[in-house]
Amino acid sequence: MKKLIVIFSILFSVNAVFGQSLKSVKLDSLVNVSLPSSYTKKDTLGQQVYTANSDLGYMIAIRQANEKGNQPLQKENDLNAVLKKYIDGIQSQSGNGSAQNIRDTTIGTLKAKAFTLFQNDPNGESQYRNFILLYTQDATYTFEYGYGDSRK
């Protein structure tokens, strides 16, 4: 019986040591995101970038302030056009990346776009970057989770 208790205590302690703890990070008064507790924050020219590494990949959350006097979008097509422009910009910055599985989603009551950017790196390993784009009148939020082909 003592051996069984010792085995279970070892198993539970290993889980506690290797478990990834997440911390809720407030990007602004509207949006919170959960990141590993060892995240870093950079704030430059109205853009806040939060980065963190996890056991299986990396995470990035970006809050970019929109232009002053930004007019509210009137129709869903306007929102789709803005988000398509962001997706095209991300894809062009990646070089040989291709945006795949572009779809609409909701976060709470807000509409967002989700997609995967697939990229081959020079070493021959494929890189996947999952994105969620969230647009409000005041700011645009980009959430990214990247991982290698070996983690898929």
Side-chain angles (χ1 to χ4, degrees), residues 14-60:
V14 167
N15 188 27
V17 170
F18 291 108
Q20 184 80 37
S21 65
L22 298 177
K23 180 179 180 182
S24 181
V25 178
K26 191 171 189 169
L27 301 183
D28 62 13
S29 63
L30 297 174
V31 178
N32 292 337
V33 65
S34 294
L35 293 172
S37 55
S38 61
Y39 74 90
T40 60
K41 177 186 176 184
K42 293 182 184 173
D43 193 352
T44 56
L45 300 174
Q47 180 177 351
Q48 299 170 350
V49 180
Y50 299 82
T51 58
N53 287 319
S54 70
D55 295 337
L56 302 176
Y58 65 90
M59 298 176 214
I60 301 173

Side-chain angles (χ1 to χ4, degrees), residues 83-97:
L83 294 176
K84 183 174 179 1
K85 181 179 171 185
Y86 272 95
I87 292 171
D88 291 343
I90 291 169
Q91 187 172 345
S92 68
Q93 288 176 3
S94 71
N96 66 346

Side-chain angles (χ1 to χ4, degrees), residues 114-134:
F115 67 97
T116 300
L117 185 72
F118 173 76
Q119 234 177 329
N120 282 323
D121 73 9
N123 299 331
E125 184 175 325
S126 299
Q127 178 77 21
Y128 295 89
R129 295 163 58 192
N130 293 332
F131 284 89
I132 296 177
L133 301 175
L134 181 64

